[in-house]
Amino acid sequence: MSDSVPALLVKVGRFPQLHGGLGVVRTLGRMGVPAYAMVEDRFTPVALSRHLAGRFVHPTTGAEDTSELVSLLLRMGREIGRPTVAVAEGDEAAVLLAENADRLAEWFVLPPVPPALPRRVASKEGLHRICEEHGVPTPRTRSPVDRAELVEVSREWGYPVVLKDKEPFTKLNDSAMGHTTVVHDEAELLARCGAAESPSVIVQEHIALDIAEEWFTHLYCGAGGTPRFVFTGHKFRSWPPKSGLTTRAWARRNTVLATLAAELCRAIGYCGIADLDWRFDRRDGRYKLIDFNPRFGQQFRLFNTAQGLDVVRAMYLDLTGRHISDGSQIHGRGFIVGNLDAVSATVTAWRDRRLPAPLPRRNLERAWVSRDDPVPAVAEAVRFSGTVARRLTKPLRVRMAGGKSGPDEGGVDGGAPGEVARGEVALKGAAP
């Protein structure tokens, strides 16, 4: 398929150690699609994949002007030289593509989603209003106007409570959270919010896992919000434990949840890939929508049909006018992010004072390890080791620096802006 329409993995922000983008490059590359990617440096796992046709080394932060980011994408499109399917990695990239689809149409093929909709569903406040409008159950949610109201609501509901960044781009630029955070008391709440009088967060009721189950739906919807594929899965473990990124999950049939997700997307006219997180509350027997991510989920490769289609392949085929074979998901498959799952299992076992239950090791989709693409796993092992070493030695380095702590070190490595390595697509005149 050397004449196939290319695809570009679009990224806003620095997160070189997330595995979902590697899944995109692998799934498209195995179809014979020329897959390109925006990467932070030459040595990210994605940049080293054998399935990658070309890499654009140009790290972004999300603080750039929209016009700068759009111009950057247009330069990439010109370098590729033909119409290209854009695949968003992250809510911010999805918002950028949707809101600037008219300008980007010169080089990019995009789902015909209503331009304002990705920002609205990615906004925790906006999503809560959508759920209220369409009768979709959610945990109790409030958007405090200031610290005083945030404290008042948390006291009223009782700890723990869940804090989330209110809007997309917040977690990249001016975040109190960085990710979904379970706060256990008022001292932790105030410490998290810092000195901001009006922190850009929402507070949500905490539904503990001893009375709930974590589920997710991955979808691809065609024009007008018509669901083409709806996959359902059960989250078993995450990092951080009980509130973060999925590290172990299973593909499981759940027709009730699939219907809920499909009806919501149809009602709001959502088009494209979506990743919806749900929590089943045993107290009232309802599935409650936690997050609506207008892009692929990091564990999307968990889901396949018997014809080998996942949501990324389905979108690519649909946008390029090719036939999409009907088919239901393969149930019973597992997904594991080996390094993070090991950490999550260890921390959970220590907290619970018991060993984790043994889990099946067969029929697993592994986030990093792949027989036909081994180098990215090696690259991630090196980066992960560095991340762990920096975290463990940070207190010592802070003391040696006289108690002055720099920005949190999360293992996100940046590259020189605009740097081009052998085998990359050059960004001529790219702004730093």
Side-chain angles (χ1 to χ4, degrees):
M1 297 178 67
S2 59
D3 60 342
S4 295
V5 175
L8 173 67
L9 182 67
V10 178
K11 177 183 291 191
V12 178
R14 300 191 184 198
F15 35 93
Q17 290 177 257
L18 284 183
H19 48 274
L22 178 61
V24 170
V25 168
R26 283 173 170 170
T27 196
L28 292 177
R30 288 166 182 156
M31 290 176 65
V33 175
Y36 297 81
M38 296 174 64
V39 297
E40 291 83 352
D41 61 64
R42 292 175 295 171
F43 304 107
T44 67
V46 172
L48 296 173
S49 173
R50 65 180 293 269
H51 295 291
L52 193 68
R55 57 195 181 194
F56 293 93
V57 179
H58 200 295
T60 59
T61 65
E64 298 87 354
D65 290 338
T66 297
S67 58
E68 180 182 347
L69 293 172
V70 170
S71 296
L72 174 62
L73 288 175
L74 291 174
R75 287 197 293 273
M76 292 178 183
R78 285 193 290 272
E79 289 290 339
I80 296 172
R82 47 186 171 149
T84 299
V85 173
V87 183
E89 181 175 11
D91 295 346
E92 292 76 16
V95 170
L96 177 71
L97 293 174
E99 293 182 348
N100 298 277
D102 289 346
R103 291 181 61 190
L104 294 170
E106 178 183 359
W107 288 107
F108 294 102
V109 183
L110 298 165
V113 64
L117 190 55
R119 183 181 290 271
R120 190 177 180 207
V121 297
S123 160
K124 308 309 178 188
E125 184 177 25
L127 177 62
H128 184 64
R129 290 176 180 173
I130 286 175
C131 290
E132 288 182 325
E133 291 169 10
H134 296 280
V136 177
T138 64
R140 286 184 296 174
T141 303
R142 288 276 288 275
S143 179
V145 297
D146 53 27
R147 284 168 65 95
E149 185 179 355
L150 175 59
V151 170
E152 179 184 349
V153 171
S154 301
R155 288 175 177 174
E156 177 186 341
W157 290 355
Y159 292 94
V161 296
V162 178
L163 297 185
K164 299 179 179 179
D165 290 309
K166 187 183 298 185
E167 303 292 343
F169 287 94
T170 303
K171 64 178 176 287
L172 298 181
N173 302 327
D174 187 25
S175 173
M177 299 301 108
H179 53 74
T180 299
T181 302
V182 179
V183 174
H184 297 88
D185 54 45
E186 192 164 308
E188 185 181 356
L189 176 78
L190 296 175
R192 280 284 180 180
C193 293
E197 281 301 317
S198 300
S200 181
V201 299
I202 60 115
V203 59
Q204 200 168 69
E205 172 192 13
H206 177 59
I207 305 175
L209 288 181
D210 57 356
I211 58 169
E213 299 171 4
E214 291 187 288
W215 289 79
F216 47 84
T217 49
H218 289 198
L219 310 91
Y220 173 67
C221 297
T226 303
R228 302 298 302 271
F229 291 100
V230 183
F231 299 112
T232 56
H234 179 229
K235 181 188 291 191
F236 182 80
R237 209 153 40 216
S238 61
W239 181 255
K242 301 182 180 181
S243 65
L245 185 77
T246 300
T247 64
R248 194 73 176 256
W250 309 103
R252 291 184 175 171
R253 186 191 309 275
N254 190 323
T255 54
V256 172
L257 192 55
T259 300
L260 274 174
E263 289 180 348
L264 174 60
C265 289
R266 187 181 288 112
I268 64 177
Y270 183 81
C271 178
I273 297 172
D275 166 25
L276 282 64
D277 293 323
W278 305 80
R279 193 158 283 199
F280 178 69
D281 190 339
R282 296 195 190 98
R283 295 172 301 179
D284 55 17
R286 297 197 299 173
Y287 289 95
K288 298 181 179 180
L289 184 58
I290 304 295
D291 286 310
F292 189 126
N293 303 300
R295 40 75 179 173
F296 64 84
Q298 294 298 313
Q299 71 276 25
F300 82 93
R301 284 294 300 154
L302 167 64
F303 300 117
N304 260 328
T305 67
Q307 293 73 31
L309 292 184
D310 55 40
V311 291
V312 171
R313 288 184 173 184
M315 183 181 77
Y316 177 86
L317 293 173
D318 193 28
L319 294 183
T320 56
R322 303 184 186 187
H323 175 68
I324 303 178
S325 302
D326 293 330
S328 57
Q329 78 177 62
I330 299 173
H331 300 288
R333 297 183 78 230
F335 181 85
I336 183 171
V337 187
N339 51 349
L340 294 180
D341 192 59
V343 176
S344 179
T346 301
V347 171
T348 301
W350 180 80
R351 288 178 177 174
D352 295 346
R353 297 296 191 270
R354 59 183 173 84
L355 293 175
L359 297 175
R361 294 182 175 274
R362 302 181 65 181
N363 202 18
L364 278 179
E365 176 77 20
R366 299 181 183 275
W368 299 113
V369 177
S370 172
R371 290 183 179 179
D372 74 336
D373 192 25
V375 177
V378 176
E380 170 56 17
V382 172
R383 283 182 180 261
F384 187 71
S385 298
T387 299
V388 172
R390 284 193 295 273
R391 291 286 178 88
L392 292 176
T393 61
K394 186 176 181 179
L396 175 61
R397 289 183 283 113
V398 169
R399 286 198 299 271
M400 292 177 64
K404 295 181 180 180
S405 178
D408 184 47
E409 299 175 60
V412 179
D413 304 314
E419 177 189 5
V420 178
R422 183 178 179 182
E424 295 170 8
V425 177
L427 280 177
K428 298 175 182 177

